[in-house]
Amino acid sequence: MADPTTPISPLPAFQAKRRALDVSGFLLLVLSFQTLGIIYSDIGTSPLYVLNGIWPASGPLPSKEDVIGGVSAIIWSLTLLPLFKYVVISLYFGTREGEGGSFALFQGLYPAAEKDFEADRTLTGDSFGRLKLHRQSREGSRSFKDRIRFPLLLWSLFGTALTMADGVLTPAVSITSAVGGIAVAKPDVTDKIVPISIAFIIVLFLVQQFGTARLAFTFSPVAALWFLLLAGTGIYNITTFPGIFRAFDPSRAVMLFVRTKNYDYLAGVLLAVTGSEAMFANLGQFNATSIRISFCGFTYPALVLAYLGQGARLIRDGEAVFDNIFYRTIPGPVNGALYWIMFVFATLATLVASQAMITATFSLTQQVINLKSLPPIRMVHTSDIVQGQVYVPAVNWLLMIAAIILVGAFKNLSNLTNAYGFAVATVMLSTTGLLAIQMVYVKRWPKVVPILFFLVWGFFDALFWGASLKKIPHGAWVPLMIGSVLVMIMTLWTWGKRLEDKFDGANRMNLRRFIGLDVISEKNSRGQSPISSTDHVDEIEVEASRSFYFITDDKKASSTDTERRKDLARIPVCAIFYKIAQGQGVPHTFVGFTRQWPALPRVVIFLSVCVLPLARIPPEERYLVNKVRSFEGFYGVTYYLGFREEFDVQVGDVMEKIIQLERDINPNAEVVIEEIRALASSATHVAPHYHVLSKVVDAGGFVSPVVNYLRKLLIEEVYRRFATMFPETANWVTSSDQIIHVGVNAVI
């Protein structure tokens, strides 16, 4: 039984706080403003390079009808994809924790079971057999959804990996495009564009450690002014050729491709919607309403005006603006005041744009780590309000190095944009497929809805993906390579961790199955009988002696059966055994510990961890304690942790909870309480270290040796090394000299 005086789980407090935040109009306005700097800066810098992406300066000048058709294709792409697909539809499909992106869609299809931390504190329950029978009864009736789980996992991981690749490509493409404006006004600095771009990239990644919220308040005013400048210059340029409004006719876009038969134009149009995935991937950083408000009311109109204005000037001025359409169409003379204002804000906006995908990459990394599909690398939470706002140092520095290499290696901007477009198109196609499946199995909408959705948006995504696929030899191989490497790492880690957890669950044991207790007691003055090993001995005033023993097999060992029992001495120390995986029973580490060292600590604590979606947990609500009544000195503890708090088990606080529980059970247990309090300073933390070994599997016939060889190579040579490099204890604050790693040979 749980201690009745122990505080209940802090989850209700979090839910009340979250509801209060959801209805706060001021917070909604603040978040909407922040989205400009974190989410829309990426799509907002596309006017720098889109028109020259469709019609490179080295090619022929497009005709008036071609320009109108190209601008029409851009406007309708912005309408169908960012506006309808992402802002209107996708934002309804976040996880229960509010996370978005390809991996969040997979989590929505296959959500983790609600964690029962009361069961985690149960060490002597006998429900294992029923659970196994229930599992077996379900195995024979696997649904279509269950059969496609692994392929969908691979597809989701690939989409996630390509979104992470965007975190490399966005800084390289955006910053290089903006810095290229110097060459328009000062041709003599053309050769210095690459080192200048690299300098900006280094500064960008150095400031990531200050956190999303602080950066958002710094970047959002820049992005807001940038969108106002785009809208203002767009309106002025439209007046030079009002006929550009014919671009709102979608038939103009269709006729462009019918007339020119140039499918490659779509690869350039695709660049106008880069950053769309950031709206969904960054859902965990903000909320759906704030993202919708800022896009519909500010970002979308500014972008449409900017593209209309550029198209109008290209029709009117032709060759005079064709070499760099964005900078040449800035009203006023080159080297004029407005030109340099636009250059400064373009450069700042591209830094902010890079921030959008970097932030999304951090958020996706957190999701993938939480689902045990990436090693547990260090994450720093930077907000007390939003759990998804994180900074991941290792990912930050890897992104910086990769972006610098790309800028240095791809001196041709068109090759960089080719690489960028392929990653974007593949992620959009991945998202469309997963959304359609969620509509069927999660939202339970009529099947005609997901079918129509997939046919319409799948068609448009496939068109863009096909155009970008042709660019693989010209630079698109870069995100394909990065994504392939990442998805292989994530797939291997997911597979290995699931095998480890399966081994851990299969080897959980009821405490009574391997620890025996002899109780020898005397009759008291009232002539009461001796106490049996199942009585609540702390509630009856008798003199009794107890002895523990380790049972070497599943059969019950008697006090005289020396072959199947090993006596265990009690030593005056406290040991905390960590339950890494969820479930009832005693972890395998304790079984191995008692088997190797024939002794029991005076206080044995089995501790499970629950990270709540709340920044900090009050100290008085941090620990919940259960006592094993039939074994003196054994306790189950749940450690509640806020997402901004470091993993630091305070043994003194745990002991106080245990003492409170003991006092409630037996007010006269002062001797026991003093003994427990004295052991607080001698606590040892015991964590598992699995030495994984590949299990021999029967794949059938001559294939078995090959399968077992590859399995052994992946598990013992690759996964085992990764697991050693990234142990579960890597982020613990507890001093290393207080942690004992119990080695367990895990045949998985």
Side-chain angles (χ1 to χ4, degrees), residues 500 503 690-695 715 744-748:
E500 261 193 33
F503 173 86
Y690 288 119
H691 182 80
V692 294
L693 301 168
S694 178
K695 180 174 65 175
I715 290 177
V744 177
N745 282 335
V747 181
I748 61 176

Side-chain angles (χ1 to χ4, degrees), residues 415-473:
N415 287 344
L416 265 179
T417 55
N418 288 336
Y420 194 27
F422 176 79
V424 172
T426 307
V427 172
M428 289 196 302
L429 186 60
S430 169
T431 300
T432 298
L434 290 167
L435 282 172
I437 296 172
Q438 269 229 6
M439 290 176 185
V440 176
Y441 290 106
V442 178
K443 299 297 183 182
R444 306 289 181 181
W445 291 352
K447 290 185 179 179
V448 66
V449 176
I451 290 173
L452 287 175
F453 172 82
F454 185 76
L455 288 176
V456 173
W457 274 276
F459 171 74
F460 291 117
D461 290 339
L463 284 177
F464 284 120
W465 189 74
S468 65
L469 194 64
K470 296 176 64 177
K471 301 295 183 180
I472 286 180

Side-chain angles (χ1 to χ4, degrees), residues 212-229:
T212 302
R214 293 181 184 177
L215 292 175
F217 273 111
T218 305
F219 289 162
S220 294
V222 172
L225 289 172
W226 169 249
F227 283 119
L228 288 174
L229 287 169

Side-chain angles (χ1 to χ4, degrees), residues 409-628:
F410 285 85
K411 294 182 172 58
N412 186 336
L413 181 60
S414 64
N415 287 344
L416 265 179
T417 55
N418 288 336
Y420 194 27
F422 176 79
V424 172
T426 307
V427 172
M428 289 196 302
L429 186 60
S430 169
T431 300
T432 298
L434 290 167
L435 282 172
I437 296 172
Q438 269 229 6
M439 290 176 185
V440 176
Y441 290 106
V442 178
K443 299 297 183 182
R444 306 289 181 181
W445 291 352
K447 290 185 179 179
V448 66
V449 176
I451 290 173
L452 287 175
F453 172 82
F454 185 76
L455 288 176
V456 173
W457 274 276
F459 171 74
F460 291 117
D461 290 339
L463 284 177
F464 284 120
W465 189 74
S468 65
L469 194 64
K470 296 176 64 177
K471 301 295 183 180
I472 286 180
H474 308 291
W477 59 269
V478 174
L480 182 61
M481 179 190 68
I482 295 173
S484 298
V485 171
L486 283 174
V487 80
M488 284 190 290
I489 293 173
M490 290 191 286
T491 302
L492 176 65
W493 190 265
T494 303
W495 177 54
K497 269 296 168 188
R498 286 187 178 179
L499 290 176
E500 261 193 33
D501 289 347
K502 184 178 179 181
F503 173 86
D504 184 87
N507 287 276
R508 290 281 179 88
M509 293 185 68
N510 185 323
L511 190 59
R512 294 194 184 101
R513 296 288 176 86
F514 67 97
I515 297 292
L517 172 62
D518 289 334
V519 179
I520 304 172
S521 57
E522 300 175 0
K523 294 181 180 179
N524 61 15
S525 58
R526 298 180 183 179
Q528 291 173 313
S529 302
I531 304 170
S532 69
S533 61
T534 58
D535 287 335
H536 296 218
V537 295
D538 51 2
E539 297 175 357
I540 303 177
E541 297 179 359
V542 296
E543 296 294 332
S545 62
R546 303 160 179 242
S547 64
F548 290 87
Y549 56 90
F550 182 84
I551 303 171
T552 57
D553 59 30
D554 291 336
K555 298 178 181 178
K556 182 67 177 176
S558 66
S559 58
T560 59
D561 191 349
T562 58
E563 293 182 0
R564 288 187 288 109
R565 61 174 282 162
K566 183 190 297 183
D567 290 335
L568 301 173
R570 297 303 291 267
I571 53 178
V573 296
C574 169
I576 302 175
F577 291 85
Y578 289 83
K579 300 178 71 170
I580 301 299
Q582 182 191 0
Q584 293 184 350
V586 174
H588 196 280
T589 46
F590 181 69
V591 181
F593 181 87
T594 51
R595 182 180 287 119
Q596 297 299 322
W597 293 279
L600 283 178
R602 171 61 184 83
V603 175
V604 181
I605 298 171
F606 298 99
L607 186 137
S608 56
V609 182
C610 174
V611 180
L612 296 177
L614 188 65
R616 304 184 192 282
I617 305 299
E620 65 274 10
E621 299 179 2
R622 196 175 301 279
Y623 304 99
L624 292 181
V625 180
N626 281 17
K627 179 181 179 180
V628 180

Side-chain angles (χ1 to χ4, degrees), residues 90-279:
S90 296
L91 296 182
Y92 284 109
F93 290 83
T95 64
R96 289 174 297 183
E97 294 77 19
E99 296 288 352
S102 298
F103 209 66
L105 290 173
F106 178 80
Q107 287 179 275
L109 282 168
Y110 304 98
E114 291 288 343
K115 293 186 177 181
D116 184 359
F117 290 98
E118 182 68 30
D120 271 357
R121 297 193 300 277
T122 301
L123 308 174
T124 57
D126 291 306
S127 59
F128 303 104
R130 291 192 298 274
L131 289 173
K132 288 179 180 176
L133 287 172
H134 180 59
R135 267 191 225 107
Q136 290 169 0
S137 67
R138 292 188 303 175
E139 287 178 359
S141 58
R142 296 182 67 207
S143 66
F144 173 75
K145 177 185 168 186
D146 294 327
R147 290 195 294 270
I148 63 173
R149 176 169 184 156
F150 188 70
L152 283 181
L153 174 62
L154 292 179
W155 187 238
S156 304
L157 290 175
F158 188 57
T160 303
L162 286 176
T163 305
M164 292 178 174
D166 272 0
V168 176
L169 294 167
T170 302
V173 173
S174 301
I175 293 174
T176 305
S177 301
V179 174
I182 301 177
V184 175
K186 304 287 183 182
D188 55 315
V189 300
T190 301
D191 294 337
K192 299 178 181 177
I193 289 177
V194 170
I196 293 173
S197 300
I198 290 174
F200 277 118
I201 288 171
I202 291 173
V203 171
L204 173 68
F205 284 98
L206 286 175
V207 301
Q208 292 302 314
Q209 59 191 301
F210 297 112
T212 302
R214 293 181 184 177
L215 292 175
F217 273 111
T218 305
F219 289 162
S220 294
V222 172
L225 289 172
W226 169 249
F227 283 119
L228 288 174
L229 287 169
L230 286 178
T233 56
I235 292 170
Y236 176 85
N237 288 334
I238 288 170
T239 62
T240 64
F241 183 73
I244 194 65
F245 281 117
R246 284 180 287 175
F248 282 110
D249 179 2
S251 67
R252 299 284 179 168
V254 176
M255 291 307 298
L256 169 69
F257 297 100
V258 172
R259 184 173 56 252
T260 63
K261 296 179 174 59
N262 191 341
Y263 184 41
D264 290 343
Y265 282 162
L266 268 182
V269 175
L270 173 63
L271 299 175
V273 296
T274 57
S276 299
E277 189 69 22
M279 300 183 210

